Each structure stands twice: as C-alpha cells, then as structure tokens.
C-alpha cells in the first residue's frame, strides 16, 4: 500500500536536508532569535532596502534594544553579518557576509533537492 504524498512532505523534507547543513563545518550556529534577525536582514537585502542597526533595534517584536544589540554583536563575531558605513558616520548599515550568502545558497539547494525527491 502506497502512502499519498501530502503538500507538507516537501517542507518536511526540506527541513530534514537543512538540518543536515547544521552539521557541516561553516559558520558557528545561531540561536533562534539570531535566525529571525538573519532572515530580516536577508529579506531587506533582497528587497534592496537599507537596514541600519538603529532600524533593527526599533523592531519591538524582537525584544529589548540591549538584547538586539548583543545579538547583532554576536552575529558579527560569528561571521554572519557585517556593518558598513553610511553617509552618516553614526549609523551603520547591516549586511550579510559572503559566508552568510553562501549559507542561503546551500539552503536553496536543499529546497530544490527536496522538491525533486517528493
């Protein structure tokens, strides 16, 4: 007896493949809040929107500004993000590092692989 494929099977297979990436030597792992922050930064970059440290710290749904500041510092130290200068020397632009972009490339490959296997 064969089991019917559910739409969720694709997503669950993707999660399984993405989890396997965590075991590969690359960047240090992120905690759940850092993963949310990374996704926000990636989406802003994809949409060609500027995202400064001040903009990020103003996002109340992510927690207190001090918490966000410590997470951004941690993410810089781990190699996920970098800060670049803007026309205002007091403001820093948040951007993904090349290593973070490669991580998203790997996740994309996981998604394609999952779609091909289901």
């Amino acid at each position: 007896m064969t089991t019917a494929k559910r739409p969720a099977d694709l997503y669950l297979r993707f999660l399984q493949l993405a989890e396997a990436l965590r075991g590969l030597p690359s960047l240090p792992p992120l905690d759940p809040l850092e993963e949310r922050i990374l996704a926000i930064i990636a989406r802003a970059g994809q949409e060609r929107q500027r995202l400064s440290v001040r903009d990020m710290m103003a996002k109340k749904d992510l927690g207190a500004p001090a918490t966000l500041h410590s997470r951004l510092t941690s993410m810089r130290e781990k190699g996920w993000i970098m800060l670049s200068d803007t026309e205002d020397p007091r403001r820093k632009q948040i951007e993904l590092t090349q290593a973070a972009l490669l991580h998203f490339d790997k996740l994309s490959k996981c998604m394609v692989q999952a779609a091909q296997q289901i």
Side-chain angles (χ1 to χ4, degrees), residues 21 98 100-110:
L21 285 180
Q98 191 63 34
L101 291 169
L102 289 173
H103 173 74
F104 281 110
D105 288 346
K106 291 175 186 174
L107 285 175
S108 294
K109 288 178 184 174
C110 288

Side-chain angles (χ1 to χ4, degrees), residues 15-26:
L15 289 179
Q16 181 183 24
L17 292 168
E19 184 65 30
L21 285 180
R22 294 186 197 282
L24 298 177
S26 58

Side-chain angles (χ1 to χ4, degrees), residues 27-57:
L27 294 171
L30 299 173
D31 68 30
L33 178 56
E34 290 171 340
E35 287 185 10
R36 284 184 61 199
I37 293 169
L38 187 71
I40 291 168
I41 296 167
R43 282 193 306 269
Q46 186 72 24
E47 295 169 1
R48 305 221 187 281
Q49 295 177 349
R50 297 182 66 158
L51 184 65
S52 70
V53 172
R54 184 179 299 178
D55 296 333
M56 185 62 77
M57 292 175 66

Side-chain angles (χ1 to χ4, degrees), residues 1-7 9 117-118:
M1 179 173 169
T2 61
T3 58
K5 297 291 183 185
R6 300 181 331 254
D9 290 342
Q117 292 176 351
I118 298 296

Side-chain angles (χ1 to χ4, degrees), residues 25-116:
S26 58
L27 294 171
L30 299 173
D31 68 30
L33 178 56
E34 290 171 340
E35 287 185 10
R36 284 184 61 199
I37 293 169
L38 187 71
I40 291 168
I41 296 167
R43 282 193 306 269
Q46 186 72 24
E47 295 169 1
R48 305 221 187 281
Q49 295 177 349
R50 297 182 66 158
L51 184 65
S52 70
V53 172
R54 184 179 299 178
D55 296 333
M56 185 62 77
M57 292 175 66
K59 295 184 180 294
K60 302 293 184 204
D61 61 321
L62 295 176
T67 300
L68 285 172
H69 190 271
S70 69
R71 289 308 200 288
L72 291 173
T73 299
S74 170
M75 293 172 73
R76 277 185 66 204
E77 291 169 354
K78 292 176 181 178
W80 288 94
I81 62 171
M82 61 185 171
L83 301 180
S84 58
D85 292 327
T86 64
E87 61 280 350
D88 181 349
R90 297 169 296 172
R91 293 181 71 110
K92 299 292 183 186
Q93 185 76 20
I94 307 171
E95 298 176 359
L96 297 177
T97 62
Q98 191 63 34
L101 291 169
L102 289 173
H103 173 74
F104 281 110
D105 288 346
K106 291 175 186 174
L107 285 175
S108 294
K109 288 178 184 174
C110 288
M111 190 175 298
V112 169
Q113 185 178 352
Q116 292 171 344

